[in-house]
Amino acid sequence: MKYRVWFGEVEDGEVRLSDDLVKSFMRVGNDVSGKELPFNVFDLGVKVFGSPERYYSELRKTAIEVARLKAEKELKREDRYAIMLLKALDEIDESINLLENKLADVREVKESEVTEEMEEEIRRMKTLRRRIEGEIEAVMEKVAPNLSSILGGVIAARLLEKVGSLQRLASLPASTIQILGAEKSLYKAMARMRKGKPAKIPKHGVIFQHPFIRTLPKNKRGKMARFMAAKLAIAARIDHFTGELNDELVLEVRRKYEELVRG
Amino acid sequence: MSAKKKTQEIGKSQKILHNVYLIEKGEKQILATKSRYGSHYGEKKFGEFREWIPSRSKLAAMLLRGYRIDIRPDWKVLYLGAASGTTVSHLADIVEKGVIYAVEYSAKPFTKLIELAEERRNIIPLLEDASKPQRYSGIVEKVDFIYQDIAQKNQVEIFLDNIRMFLKKGGEGLIMVKARSIDSTAEPPEVFEGVLKKLSRRVKVVASDTLEYHRDHIFVHVWG
């Protein structure tokens, strides 16, 4: 049996040293189904490199280089990936809707093999939709754990989509985050105000989709939206700069919601 | 112009582990590690001591609680859930002649961990998923100590999988369990009971207790 170690390959106790340590370090997985390797990597490595000091210094150098490569690659792409998936999700929703309408129309006239095939196709698209949604949740949890914990992955991704990147979202004030997605009604209100007419300034945009806002009575939604946006602004900054989950934020939002529901 | 360091007044210190000290500072006692390196996460430095903040590190909270694990300076450590390296930085002060394999899955905090690994000599950073130990099986050697702090639903299984693959005979493990991430609806004591049961089927549970500064968390010390 052949095993991969970071400095090469091992077969029957024989080590074949890799000529590119970074490369071999990056594909080091062994399908051992949870069991330990039949040798200790360190013991083999010391033989190969001559001494523990040499072994560790090579290991450390390679690990840091690989770490930098991998981290950079991941950071660059993940928020774009979530945004693209979200766009795909919206497209697929539209397609499903459209097809379902057409199917109903056709059925009214005549039931046939084709209608059954259409139905099957729609079912497949719904499965795909769930897959995409699951992927968005998973990616967002990595890219923006705090935003996702408050909003859920899909709504959080929608905020990202509105501004284009996590970096930009992290630089926005809470008041802007609060009405992201309601730009049209905001500008309408501003135009009316300029003319000195009474105007309704929107309370919420994308974040209205969150059950904590949607389910409150109208006169409390503004309060909740303002509070949530403030926490989201903090969340976006933590996500952008450190990426560590702080569950106080989501608790505070929940507490505020419960307070508003009761009071 | 370089900023002048104010000399901080500190009182008597008491050694509790290799390179770990309890230091009197005014009325309070603080925990610190002896370190020749600078601040990593905003902690204060008092001469050669680096303050170890219990609200930021569960291992510090455990030590302040009075529970000690005799971590030796030459230990090899597998650290799961290293995040940005807050606890890792202090652990690296302790195992100054050993090595820490620091596994973290999320790229954002990991960049800070890389900086730490560049500064120290004894940290091997690994951007990997701790629930898939076979992926780093060709890198991590047999270790004396496995530390785990990942708030995930299946964190106990992940801990046990890594123990099976990487812990030396006679090695020790320490897991920080977060009730809310295992089951957010059940009462924490119930969750903890289930966790201890699950652990004791495979390893020897030596001690466990709640942690101050970290609500609904316990530590569990095990022998492999």
Side-chain angles (χ1 to χ4, degrees), chain A residues 119-132:
Chain A
E119 202 176 359
E120 180 55 36
E121 198 54 41
I122 291 172
R123 212 172 300 132
R124 248 202 301 272
M125 283 168 75
K126 284 183 175 165
T127 316
L128 177 62
R129 190 201 180 282
R130 271 195 300 277
R131 288 267 301 145
I132 296 178

Side-chain angles (χ1 to χ4, degrees), chain A residues 186-202:
Chain A
L186 176 71
Y187 292 130
K188 210 160 93 191
M190 274 162 49
R192 284 183 67 91
M193 283 197 296
R194 215 170 292 131
K195 289 180 198 150
K197 291 181 190 163
K200 267 189 185 166
I201 301 164

Side-chain angles (χ1 to χ4, degrees), chain B residues 183-200:
Chain B
D183 187 339
S184 57
T185 55
E187 287 297 311
E190 272 171 53
V191 178
F192 295 144
E193 200 181 309
V195 166
L196 290 174
K197 218 187 235 164
K198 219 185 272 175
L199 282 170
S200 53

